Every structure is written in structure tokens, then in C-alpha cells.
Amino acid sequence: MIIIKQGGGKIISGASMKEVPNILWLEEIRKEDISSVGGKGASLGEMASIGLPVPTAFVVTAQAFRRFLIETGLEKKLFSAYDKLDVEDNEALEKAAGTAKAMVLKAKMPPKIRDEIKAAYRKMNGGSLIVAVRSSATAEDLPDASFAGQQETYLNIRGDAALIEAVQKCWASLYGARAIYYRAKQGFDDQTVNIAVVVQQLVPSEKAGVMFTSHPITGEPLTIIEGSWGLGEAVVSGSVSPDKYVFDQRSEKVVDTLISNKKVEIIADGDHGTKLADVSPARQDAQVLANEEVAKLAMYGKIAEDHYGVPQDVEWGIVAGTFYILQSRPITTIGNNKEAKGMTGQKQSAKILVQGQGAAPGIASGRVVIIRDVKDTGSVKEGDILVTRMTNPDMVPAMRKVAAIVTDEGGMTCHAAIVSRELGTPAVVGTKTATNVLKNGQLVTVDGEMGLIYEGAIAQAAPAQAAAAAQQAVTGHAPIITATSIKVNVSIPEAAARAAATGADGVGLLRIEHLILGLNKTPGWFIANSKEQDFVKELHDGIKIVLDAFPGKTVWVRTLDAPTDEFRNMKGGENEPHEHNPMLGWRGIRRDLQSPDQFRLQVEAFKQLWKEGYENLGIMFPMVSHPDQFVLGKEMMRDWGVDVERVTLGIMIEIPSSAIMIEDFIRAGIKFASFGTNDLIQYTLAIDRNNENVADMYNPQHPAVLSLIHNAIQTCREYDVECSICGQAGSDPKMAVWLVEHGITSISANIDAIAKIREAVARTEKRIILEAARSRDAE
Ligand code: PEP
Ligand code: MG
């Protein structure tokens, strides 16, 4: 039982409160001011202080928040709301959090603070500017804020009333249930934790992109700028091939310009964030930046690089001729691009400390932090290298912060590998010895492609995504259209936007157990504690985020599939059966069919979504081994009011029996089938997919596996049933080529693999057409 700490902490003293005003403008802020303005505020202030054109902003300081608590009397009342709270008691926690949040939201902001915020806002642009209001955490080592629910951001805020409300909402977010829970778990004294709020002009960039202030690999004084129309997100996410400009700082000239065909842009969408839009034909091939603009951006880049002392990766935007620098951070990792080969020399001379399987591409350097228990994740800092036996859902907040992840156990399809790929964080799994060989605080470089961990920081590098974008710029091709649908796999809703930005034709696998695992409670817990509707809501809300990111495109949601051991550490996990081999155990559809309540609640979430008009939602049953299971699942859904003939229901082919009996499944009415090769391989070859000792025998291209896949594809083709793949093998271009040659209808790959899979598929399709034409000619 974890009782929340009361008192004893150091509340900001009267002296320091007098010194720090309620409002600080960016120009007044330096990086040391983190305890007053939070991490976000401090870094923006530092950039503004060196003359970079950062969008105008002020910070409502942590001291303003503290004064608010004191003057409203909340400082005492608030904490008595959860005096001696046992945060493990979910009901009590939710209640205390609800009370505390309501108290903060309802309290009247002291007039002085309110007036100062309004005055600052008016000073920005007469009080009508559209701003973003963001929480800025002041305790650097708080757990990842978005997970803890305290990194609230409110976009598109305009006017006094909306602004004051948004500030107060940011304050209240400090008392979300998860935030309280994690602070308690990590020993923070809740009475002393503060929050700052950044109020910043929202820049509706007309053109934007990224810049490496020096060559990311060689370090030459060449500034490389990529730019495209609309918001910079399009370039960062790689959803567009941007123009590329190279500026030589020695000659102060643009030495290379590559104009790409820019078909799409990301633009503001009313009050609802952003949307992808088509670029008008006239602008598609137009040059984004004039030479003078390139030179000006390069100059800002140089200012940042000189100030920070290392080459920077900068995000920029231009609107109505005004330049903005939105973010500047050191170049720390390198992508899997051709230029990266430039590192080979450095790598060869570096000492390899441990090796495993490269599970998520990218290269990153940082200090090792060894985590032996989830309780210790509080010590994980931004940019660390997380080293652990195996990650589990509890660790996801820490995984979001780190520069790379290394595990002793696991293979390409383990939890660490799946989550790292979606987070875009380099990862090496199955090293066997990393937690013994590596030392806390040691500086290492992780190569998530090759599966190697080197001693020291061996490369000067570029962020994986930006480097991938740079690679696209080099090739500068128009978007590739393929006849085979290229879909994407998603497990965590926060990856939905990145997944959609790949331009994928839909989601070929949404693993919903990750929505539940992240809540730290088993489905059984929700049922046993009469929290069924909470469970339905979590599923509904998580799935909806993904559906919304893919309007009009199919999203295949897979019903729950987590082996019992993955549930063990969660609340309710004590009731999970101990199985000798959870991979062969009570998981997937077989468990749902025997646990009708668990299945029914999932179906309830699906039903709500269908009712809301999400026609693009399809449901996929995992781990089916006999058509009877599909029929039974379908009948249960019918009993619960689903129009089963109308909605799209399909299966995963993960067990050899389902590949062999595919024709019977088709007769039973499946509308699609998708190869879950992660399991299909382990069950065909008797190789535990998570066991690093047999990982080198785990062969996706084993003739027996290929034969099962080939036969199932042919049968699906005969009956005109969509046949897809969503296992990891679908993210391997070699396998994609083989699958296209054998007639697969669609391929669902990981976010990081979409571009290369699309290219491999397009080439194969063209080759097939060319060969057919040639053989016709020869006849
Ligand atoms: C698979 O088995 O290939 C699959 C995609 O499912 P999971 O990895 O979640 O078992
Ligand atoms: Mg599977």
C-alpha cells in the first residue's frame, strides 16, 4: 500500500515567492529558471535570449500557481482532500483526484493574477492573438507528463475568458488520478509540486520544415534545410518529400537545391488541430524557399549552434514573411539512411559492449540507466539509455523519455520492440547480458538497426525521422501509388498521427490490449470491481483516436490478445492463472469465448463506434485455430445486437491450423484474413518468439512458413477474400517482395517501415507488369 506523503516537503519560501513575479516573458527567462517556468518555458526562454525569433510567449510562473493555492485557501484544503490516500485504492484515488481537480477549477483566481495574465495577453497583440496554452512541468524528473495526464495543452485559444480557463485547467491537470498515483509511487511530496503554464502565439506556418545547422554526419559547415508547404509536421513526419537546400557557410551561398513534388500539406483545421490537405497543382512543384530565405534560416541556425556549442536540429516556420524558430535541440541520433554509412569508420574503431537484435531503427548516444524494477523508473531522465531485463506496460512513460532502449530478453516482436518502433525510439532487444555488462551512468551509443551497443558517444547524428526525411529529399520522388494496399500497424493511440502521416491506406492491425495494459489493470479487474463502463470507455476512446486519424480508410481492430504473463503485474493480475507456456495458453479469441463478459465489453465499445458512424471499423479475431471459433464469436456478437452480416469480421492466421483450414473459414463467412507471422512462425517452427536463446532459429522465410502462407493466399484469391499480413515479417522488404509475387492483397507494416515497404512493393508490381509485357512481346 502506498500512502501519499504528507507535509515534510519544502514549500517555496516566502523570500523566493517575492522574487519571482506571476508572469515572466520569454526574454526574461534563462535555462536556470526551470523551477519557476518549467522545462518547456526554460528552453524557449533560452532560445529567445540569444535572439532567435521564437513565437512570442509568456509564462504564468510556478509561483503564481502557488500564490493561487495559498490565497484561495486551497493549499490546506486541497491536500486534506486526499489526506492519507491509498493510491492503490483506485476508487478512492479517482474520487480524491476528481475532488482536487474540481477544487482547483472552481476556485476563483485571485484578481491580481488574473489581471496580470490578461494584461500580458493584451500586450501580445491587443488581446486577440490565437495562442497555445501548455503546462510546463517544474520537477524535471516527474514521470512522463502526458502519461501522468499533466502535460495538458490547449490549442487555438483566443480571448481573455478562454485563456484564464485554459490556465486553470492546466493547473488542475496537476491533480489527475494518474499524476497523483505516479508522484506517490515515486516519492514526490504532492504538497510542494508546482506547475507553470506557457502561453504562446500559435504560428500558422505557410511554409515550414527542419534544418541541420551543420552536416549531420560529417560535421562540415553545410546547413541542410528541408522545407515544404504548411505546418512543419508534414516534413518531420515524412508525409511529404520536401524541397532540400544546402547552404555553404564558407561561401555563404546556396550550393544545392532540390525541388520535390509536394502533393500534400498539413494545415490548421479550425479549432480541431490539424489536417492533411492536397496542395494545388500550381504549388506542387514550386520552390518553397528563395535563396535569401535559405540564407536567413542558416544564419539563425548558426546563432543556435554557436550558443549551444553543438550542431542543432532546428524546426522553423514562416508566415507572411516572418520567420519563426520553433525548436532547437542538439543533433543526437542518426537515422537509417544512406548517409549514415558515413559513420562506419567511427563504428569500426569503437568497442562493442553488447549485442542483440536491432528491434527499432535509429542510433542514439546517452547515459545508461539500469531499471530492475518499475518503481525505479523515476530515475530515468530525458535522453537516457534505458537498460532493463524486459520492458512492460508500466514502463511506457519512461520509454517515452529515453533516447534508446536495450533489453536482456525478447525478440523482434516483444513488448519493448513493438512499443519502441511506435515511439520511434531506437531499441536493441535480446542482448542477454546488458543489465550486467553495462553500468549505470556509462556513456554508450545504441545502433537500433544493427543491434549493437558501443562504448562512448561515437557519432554525431541526426534524428531518425528527420534523417529519413532527408533521405526522402535526396530521392525527391512523387508519392508512390501501389496496387497492393500498404497499411500500418498501431498499438498505442498516441502513434496514430504518425501512422496516418505515412499516408498508409488504413490500419491493418490495432492491438487493443495495449490500451488496457497501459491502465495497469486487467480486464478481469474492471469486471470484478463493477467498472465495466470504464473499460468500455477506455477501449472506445482509444480506438476512436485511431479511427479519426484514418477517415474513410479501413481500421482492423483486433480483439484482446495478451498472454497471461503480461497481465500478471497489473491490478487483478494476481488472479491470472500460472501457465507453463503462456504463448500456448489462455490468450486471444479462445480466452474471449470462454470469458463472455470480457468479450461482450469489447463488443460494446465496437457497437458504440459503429453507431457513431465509424463504418471503417473492422474486427479481427486473433489466435483462431478452428472455424467453429469464428462462428461462435460471430454468434455471440449477433446475440449482443451486432448486425454481423453487415459489419466486417475477419481473422488472423497465426496458427498453422487456420492456414490449412482457410477454405473452411471462408465458408464460415470471414471477410478478410491477415497473417500474424509473429505467432505463425513460432507455432510452425516451435520457436518461442520471446526466447533469445532460439532467436536465430526464428526464420520468417522457412519453407514451411512460406508454404502455409502461399497456400492460404491462393485460396483467398480464389474466393476473392482480402488477404493481408500484419506480423513483423510484413515490415521486411524482402518478404514484401515475395508476398506481392505470391498475390497478397495488402501489407500492414510498422510506421518506420512504411516508406521502404511501399517502395519495394511498387518496384515488384512494376517488374511483374514489365515481365508480363515482355513475355507477351516475345510470343
Ligand atoms: C502476430 O502474431 O504476427 C501478430 C501481429 O500479433 P502479436 O504480435 O500481437 O501476437
Ligand atoms: Mg499474434
Side-chain angles (χ1 to χ4, degrees), residues 413 418 489 509 511 513-514 558 561 587 623 652-654 675-680 689 698 726-728:
T413 61
I418 291 170
N489 296 341
L509 166 65
R511 294 175 161 102
E513 57 280 1
H514 288 253
R558 180 179 75 180
D561 182 13
R587 53 175 291 212
M623 298 286 295
M652 295 190 64
I653 302 181
E654 293 172 293
F675 295 107
T677 43
N678 303 341
D679 282 317
L680 185 62
R689 62 193 257 191
Y698 185 90
C726 57
Q728 178 59 23

Side-chain angles (χ1 to χ4, degrees), residues 252-514:
E252 301 200 333
K253 287 213 164 55
V254 179
V255 292
D256 197 10
T257 299
L258 188 134
I259 311 298
S260 292
N261 180 263
K262 302 165 286 290
K263 280 214 166 26
V264 290
E265 63 183 327
I266 295 178
I267 55 174
D269 181 14
D271 291 345
H272 301 288
T274 58
K275 65 177 179 192
L276 201 65
D278 291 337
V279 171
S280 66
R283 287 197 310 150
Q284 284 183 7
D285 295 315
Q287 183 164 339
V288 169
L289 290 174
N291 282 358
E292 309 78 69
E293 292 178 312
V294 172
K296 194 162 170 183
L297 282 173
M299 175 196 75
Y300 288 131
K302 182 92 179 59
I303 292 174
E305 180 170 322
D306 287 350
H307 175 74
Y308 293 108
V310 283
Q312 298 287 298
D313 163 17
V314 173
E315 279 179 35
W316 58 269
I318 300 177
V319 53
T322 305
F323 287 62
Y324 292 100
I325 300 299
L326 306 167
Q327 192 178 72
S328 179
R329 57 186 171 204
I331 296 175
T332 49
T333 59
I334 196 159
N336 170 29
N337 66 350
K338 286 178 192 149
E339 289 177 315
K341 297 221 168 85
M343 284 178 51
T344 314
Q346 287 163 284
K347 282 203 219 162
Q348 273 166 359
S349 58
K351 181 173 168 202
I352 295 173
L353 298 172
V354 269
Q355 47 188 305
Q357 287 194 66
I363 295 182
S365 301
R367 303 237 166 238
V368 166
V369 53
I370 298 178
I371 296 299
R372 300 196 191 275
D373 187 306
V374 69
K375 282 202 293 299
D376 305 332
T377 51
S379 60
V380 173
K381 303 242 177 355
E382 205 79 45
D384 279 346
I385 307 292
L386 191 159
V387 179
T388 187
R389 196 170 58 75
M390 172 44 63
T391 64
N392 64 43
D394 263 20
M395 287 188 192
V396 173
M399 293 170 77
R400 290 197 179 97
K401 279 191 192 176
V402 296
I405 293 162
V406 179
T407 67
D408 287 350
E409 299 176 355
M412 289 297 284
T413 61
C414 68
H415 178 267
I418 291 170
V419 175
S420 301
R421 282 192 294 266
E422 293 211 358
L423 293 172
T425 305
V428 175
V429 298
T431 61
K432 297 182 186 167
T433 56
T435 55
N436 289 328
V437 173
L438 303 179
K439 302 282 167 268
N440 265 318
Q442 186 176 14
L443 188 61
V444 299
T445 299
V446 176
D447 182 337
E449 178 78 18
M450 302 306 294
L452 301 171
I453 290 95
Y454 296 94
E455 187 170 46
I458 61 160
Q460 180 187 322
Q465 285 174 358
Q471 172 62 25
Q472 276 202 337
V474 174
T475 46
H477 49 65
I480 302 170
I481 310 291
T482 55
T484 310
S485 301
I486 307 297
K487 300 184 184 179
V488 64
N489 296 341
V490 180
S491 297
I492 48 179
E494 72 193 72
R498 276 182 63 223
T502 61
D505 299 316
V507 174
L509 166 65
L510 172 59
R511 294 175 161 102
I512 58 169
E513 57 280 1
H514 288 253

